[in-house]
Amino acid sequence: MVLHKFGDKLYSGLVATMTGHLKDIAQSVEAAQGGSFLEELNRKWNDHNKALQMIRDILMYMDRTYIPSTQKTPVHELGLNLWKENVIYSSQIRTRLLNTLLELVHSERTAEVIDRGIMRNITKMLMDLGPSVYGQEFETHFLQVSAEFYRVESQKFIECCDCGDYLKKAERRLNEEMERVSHYLDSRTEKKITNVVEKEMIENHMLRLIHMENSGLVHMLCDDKYEDLSRMYNLFRRVTDGLSKVREVMTSHMRESGKQLVTDPERLKDPVEYVQRLLDEKDKYDKIINLAFNNDKSFQNALNSSFEYFINLNARSPEFISLFVDDKLRKGLKGVSEDDVEVTLDKVMMLFRYLQEKDVFEKYYKQHLAKRLLSGKTVSDDAERSLIVKLKTECGYQFTSKLEGMFTDMKTSQDTMQGFYGCHPELSDGPTLTVQVLTTGSWPTQSSVTCNLPAEMSALCEKFRSYYLGTHTGRRLSWQTNMGTADLKATFGKGQKHELNVSTYQMCVLMLFNNADRLSYKEIEQATEIPASDLKRCLQSLALVKGRNVLRKEPMGKEIVEDDAFFVNDKFSSKLYKVKIGTVVAQKESEPEKQETRQRVEEDRKPQIEAAIVRIMKSRKQLDHNNLIAEVTKQLQSRFLANPTEVKKRIESLIERDFLERDDSDRRLYRYLA
């Protein structure tokens, strides 16, 4: 027919025949009742597809020659279009089809079982007829109905569930929708339907969920509910601003609880407990971020900024962290494996990083390290050195060079003592002397107060002085009696013998009782010349500490006053042969000591600020006031937070000393003078 120019007739005949046939089919589908409606439609669709393939094969010649030349619709496509117009768009079928599909989805959502196979076939038919048909005839309506369904459901849930349960339900619904898509909807619907669920169930209720009383975010954080937190993180990350809302609330909670922790007067009584609480808090949130928040960088940053904020609210944090290290390195790490020691030191370093005033920590750390080294009280030299290496990595060589010098001095002193006794073999009988020679610049400076040593000791000290100055030229020795210790052999009234481990000051006091039975406070003070505050502390620990009271005091009483008299306590007894008599120690610094340390820190900062100003001005040649302050603060922030007023004073001082000058026309502009 095509060759005989009847192509047109053949084509229009095909259209007419198919249309007539499909109208009959539409009627038989319309006639199907209830559940068989979709089955009938599906059966006819399969038949139609088979028939179409045959027709296309029969009319292949027309398809290949006539249709391209006249730009008509190819046979297969024509068959689909006619099906769409005559069956799907038939007035009796169109709405019924949509409602049937939506009802089935609704049934499935309300936990009924439906025939997923037939659903898959019908939605595939709509897709085969063209994505726009699937969109118009089903998807658009499906999304609208779903939004309404979840709007109502979420409202119902939020009224009756706590936050954890609500999130479980939301998660379950999301998973169901994704599963539904994979079973019988087009894969491109997944993104659209999950967006609907996210918006209706999460985005619209975000703040209410986070702030829900007794079950919201803060409650989860306090009770370490990792599973709930993880669920919240995974659901909220799907919606705009979800995570930032979670982060804000978590940050303000961390700051609030941290602030309470560092300002609570009860907590400040025990520095070690204070730092331990900080470490526990950090561990707690690290674990939450690791287990529940997928190690999210933005949450880690929030954690770090919160810690930095509240740790610096308490000006004593640097001192307390150093006391914590001191406690751990004196006794806390005894019998602990090397790896655990490293873990503890790493945690301390992490807190150290948050400190704005690292130089204050350094001051205290140096004092505490000095006491540990001189009293031989450190648990392990390896741990001490390990911490110094960490500090060096963090803050550079300047920070630790003096600390390393302290270790060197300890080693050199051992060699010096061997040399001294090598030169004086005759001294092996009497009292033995161990001297630690400390380089002035490396150790925390103590005002040197000499007390009157007992005659036996001062002769020995003189010998050492002449030996030391004979072997080293250009050096001066000054005795730091306030830092030493002594071991004394003592015999009491009933012949009971003990070895007493005491401080140098206590030794000077006890040795006086070899030549006297009763001494008044005044006499002791004159004989020893120990400073009053140290002497009172020393007498308190000799006479008033139960089980260590080798002296007794009259009249009895807690305080030492000028009229007191002291005697040897002949009734002294102890189960131990060696008795250690500590000094009544001021563990945390007293107010005046604190002020003094603070002043020393401020003094030490001045040259550092000046050096920074000169470095910056040397490279910039000229700079205005605000930029200079900003640059100086930035350069020094690894050590401390520079106070702008102090920086201004240092600038003035440098102008007076002709390092800088002010611009004549603009007073806020500085120039460098080489």
Side-chain angles (χ1 to χ4, degrees):
M1 284 180 81
V2 174
L3 287 173
H4 286 86
K5 304 283 182 285
F6 288 112
D8 198 26
K9 191 166 187 187
L10 180 59
Y11 191 80
S12 53
L14 171 67
V15 173
T17 311
M18 269 170 109
T19 306
H21 173 66
L22 288 174
K23 282 203 182 336
D24 296 343
I25 284 181
Q27 278 176 343
S28 82
V29 172
E30 285 162 17
Q33 293 303 309
S36 60
F37 168 68
L38 289 184
E39 283 166 23
E40 182 65 14
L41 180 63
N42 185 38
R43 198 162 41 249
K44 297 293 188 212
W45 165 247
N46 287 336
D47 293 348
H48 180 63
N49 264 325
K50 279 191 200 124
L52 254 186
Q53 279 169 355
M54 290 180 193
I55 294 169
R56 186 176 54 185
D57 291 349
I58 294 166
L59 300 179
M60 194 182 285
Y61 187 78
M62 177 179 84
D63 223 10
R64 285 195 182 162
T65 56
Y66 170 75
I67 286 174
S69 64
T70 53
Q71 286 165 351
K72 289 194 184 308
T73 310
V75 174
H76 188 259
E77 199 182 321
L78 173 73
L80 294 181
N81 290 347
L82 290 173
W83 171 270
K84 178 169 69 183
E85 281 152 23
N86 293 296
V87 180
I88 301 300
Y89 289 173
S90 132
S91 58
Q92 297 295 307
I93 292 178
R94 196 171 192 171
T95 322
R96 189 175 168 193
L97 173 61
L98 174 63
N99 291 341
T100 311
L101 292 176
L102 293 178
E103 273 164 26
L104 284 169
V105 172
H106 185 78
S107 302
E108 193 174 46
R109 281 188 182 141
T110 50
E112 289 178 36
V113 177
I114 63 164
D115 182 349
R116 287 181 158 183
I118 194 86
M119 285 289 282
R120 182 169 53 246
N121 292 343
I122 299 294
T123 51
K124 185 170 184 317
M125 169 190 80
L126 294 175
M127 278 305 293
D128 289 345
L129 295 174
S132 65
V133 178
Y134 172 80
Q136 286 162 5
E137 296 305 308
F138 171 71
E139 190 184 60
T140 316
H141 305 281
F142 166 70
L143 295 174
Q144 285 166 356
V145 170
S146 301
E148 185 52 38
F149 175 82
Y150 286 118
R151 188 172 305 126
V152 174
E153 181 170 274
S154 66
Q155 204 50 52
K156 189 176 84 188
F157 285 162
I158 203 128
E159 297 304 338
C160 67
C161 300
D162 68 13
C163 182
D165 286 344
Y166 182 94
L167 293 175
K168 277 181 195 155
K169 288 180 161 51
E171 184 180 53
R172 196 175 66 237
R173 283 306 197 185
L174 257 178
N175 292 336
E176 280 173 15
E177 290 302 335
M178 292 196 263
E179 191 196 8
R180 184 166 296 119
V181 171
S182 70
H183 279 295
Y184 59 76
L185 299 180
D186 177 48
S187 58
R188 279 165 293 197
T189 308
E190 183 175 320
K191 183 85 189 95
K192 299 173 192 171
I193 185 65
T194 49
N195 281 348
V196 167
V197 182
E198 286 155 11
K199 184 172 188 313
E200 296 302 337
M201 295 205 79
I202 297 161
E203 196 168 347
N204 293 346
H205 303 288
M206 257 193 314
L207 292 176
R208 184 156 174 197
L209 286 167
I210 291 176
H211 294 296
M212 203 175 263
E213 228 168 283
N214 300 330
S215 70
L217 176 58
V218 171
H219 176 79
M220 291 176 185
L221 292 171
C222 292
D223 292 356
D224 294 336
K225 294 194 178 292
Y226 302 118
E227 209 178 293
D228 287 347
L229 285 165
S230 174
R231 193 171 289 116
M232 181 178 264
Y233 175 83
N234 288 321
L235 290 173
F236 276 55
R237 71 192 291 188
R238 293 168 152 272
V239 299
T240 328
D241 271 355
L243 286 187
S244 66
K245 293 270 188 301
V246 175
R247 209 165 40 242
E248 279 163 28
V249 174
M250 176 170 152
T251 305
S252 71
H253 169 66
M254 283 192 297
R255 289 189 173 210
E256 204 39 56
S257 57
K259 189 176 175 180
Q260 282 170 3
L261 202 153
V262 299
T263 51
D264 176 3
E266 279 305 301
R267 299 245 178 274
L268 302 184
K269 287 180 183 164
D270 180 358
V272 178
E273 168 69 9
Y274 169 89
V275 175
Q276 192 53 56
R277 283 294 302 265
L278 286 175
L279 291 176
D280 295 346
E281 195 78 352
K282 179 75 169 63
D283 282 349
K284 172 189 173 78
Y285 285 106
D286 275 341
K287 197 169 175 188
I288 287 174
I289 291 172
N290 187 14
L291 294 177
F293 295 162
N294 197 15
N295 249 335
D296 189 314
K297 272 279 177 286
S298 64
F299 279 84
Q300 283 172 342
N301 295 341
L303 173 62
N304 290 337
S305 74
S306 302
F307 260 78
E308 191 172 322
Y309 160 77
F310 64 71
I311 219 169
N312 290 301
L313 288 177
N314 183 353
R316 303 195 73 169
S317 289
E319 176 192 355
F320 286 1
I321 293 174
S322 179
L323 282 167
F324 178 81
V325 174
D326 189 54
D327 175 76
K328 288 289 175 241
L329 291 173
R330 272 172 188 272
K331 52 179 186 282
L333 296 174
K334 267 199 182 114
V336 174
S337 74
E338 267 184 44
D339 292 347
D340 292 346
V341 172
E342 279 298 303
V343 169
T344 307
L345 296 182
D346 282 336
K347 285 183 176 174
V348 170
M349 283 309 297
M350 168 204 69
L351 287 184
F352 169 76
R353 281 183 206 113
Y354 295 134
L355 291 175
Q356 285 168 349
E357 302 194 309
K358 295 186 172 63
D359 55 343
V360 179
F361 171 84
E362 182 191 10
K363 270 273 178 296
Y364 285 112
Y365 180 71
K366 207 164 152 188
Q367 286 171 14
H368 295 144
L369 174 63
K371 283 180 189 161
R372 285 199 298 278
L373 290 176
L374 294 176
S375 60
K377 283 282 162 46
T378 180
V379 173
S380 100
D381 274 359
D382 289 345
E384 292 281 7
R385 287 184 187 281
S386 166
L387 187 57
I388 289 178
V389 169
K390 290 181 198 304
L391 287 166
K392 191 176 190 173
T393 316
E394 198 63 38
C395 297
Y397 169 73
Q398 257 69 33
F399 198 82
T400 55
S401 56
K402 289 178 177 174
L403 304 177
E404 287 168 337
M406 288 158 80
F407 277 96
T408 314
D409 283 349
M410 296 302 289
K411 179 78 189 79
T412 318
S413 298
Q414 285 177 357
D415 302 343
T416 307
M417 290 319 297
Q418 282 174 350
F420 172 62
Y421 279 109
C423 283
H424 293 286
E426 77 280 1
L427 294 178
S428 56
D429 297 343
T432 51
L433 178 71
T434 308
V435 181
Q436 276 132 355
V437 184
L438 316 178
T439 314
T440 311
S442 299
W443 295 72
T445 46
Q446 301 252 344
S447 47
S448 173
V449 183
T450 46
C451 67
N452 296 332
L453 291 170
E456 305 89 321
M457 294 312 299
S458 50
L460 206 49
C461 289
E462 267 317 305
K463 275 194 172 146
F464 178 80
R465 181 197 289 278
S466 52
Y467 163 77
Y468 186 83
L469 297 177
T471 52
H472 298 82
T473 50
R475 294 199 181 173
R476 246 186 37 228
L477 280 183
S478 59
W479 296 98
Q480 298 270 340
T481 42
N482 53 345
M483 293 160 85
T485 56
D487 290 327
L488 298 174
K489 288 196 167 68
T491 311
F492 291 92
K494 295 177 184 159
Q496 67 270 39
K497 294 189 166 160
H498 289 285
E499 190 175 300
L500 307 177
N501 172 256
V502 294
S503 70
T504 306
Y505 283 164
Q506 288 167 337
M507 171 194 75
C508 297
V509 173
L510 290 174
M511 295 288 275
L512 297 175
F513 286 93
N514 278 339
N515 309 319
D517 293 333
R518 173 191 185 285
L519 288 168
S520 69
Y521 174 82
K522 274 275 195 295
E523 289 168 329
I524 295 176
E525 190 173 36
Q526 280 167 356
T528 59
E529 291 183 8
I530 297 171
S533 64
D534 289 326
L535 180 57
K536 282 183 180 168
R537 280 230 295 270
C538 155
L539 286 166
Q540 270 176 327
S541 45
L542 288 169
L544 302 177
V545 179
K546 202 172 174 193
R548 309 267 188 277
N549 47 346
V550 289
L551 297 181
R552 60 190 177 80
K553 162 173 115 69
E554 282 182 8
M556 297 293 277
K558 290 223 170 135
E559 295 305 316
I560 304 278
V561 289
E562 307 229 331
D563 309 337
D564 289 345
F566 294 89
F567 307 83
V568 173
N569 177 12
D570 285 333
K571 295 188 180 129
F572 176 77
S573 69
S574 170
K575 290 176 191 164
L576 306 167
Y577 172 67
K578 285 189 171 180
V579 180
K580 180 180 185 333
I581 298 175
T583 312
V584 175
V585 281
Q587 177 68 10
K588 285 193 298 189
E589 285 194 314
S590 60
E591 270 313 308
E593 288 176 315
K594 208 162 85 187
Q595 294 300 332
E596 192 189 330
T597 306
R598 192 79 223 170
Q599 271 171 328
R600 284 214 302 271
V601 169
E602 294 297 347
E603 281 306 310
D604 287 353
R605 284 180 181 181
K606 287 179 182 174
Q608 295 184 52
I609 295 174
E610 289 184 354
I613 296 171
V614 171
R615 272 199 305 275
I616 292 161
M617 291 304 293
K618 203 170 184 176
S619 67
R620 295 297 188 82
K621 299 297 181 253
Q622 70 170 25
L623 205 54
D624 67 277
H625 179 79
N626 289 356
N627 279 329
L628 179 54
I629 299 264
E631 291 262 347
V632 170
T633 313
K634 191 174 167 196
Q635 268 203 18
L636 294 171
Q637 71 188 20
S638 66
R639 302 275 293 138
F640 57 87
L641 207 57
N643 178 351
T645 325
E646 193 51 50
V647 180
K648 196 163 184 251
K649 283 184 191 164
R650 301 312 351 127
I651 294 173
E652 296 299 338
S653 164
L654 289 169
I655 290 174
E656 280 167 27
R657 290 177 309 187
D658 290 339
F659 281 92
L660 312 176
E661 66 172 6
R662 276 199 169 84
D663 186 78
D664 294 333
S665 55
D666 181 358
R667 305 290 289 157
R668 294 180 68 73
L669 194 65
Y670 303 116
R671 273 205 198 81
Y672 177 68
L673 298 173

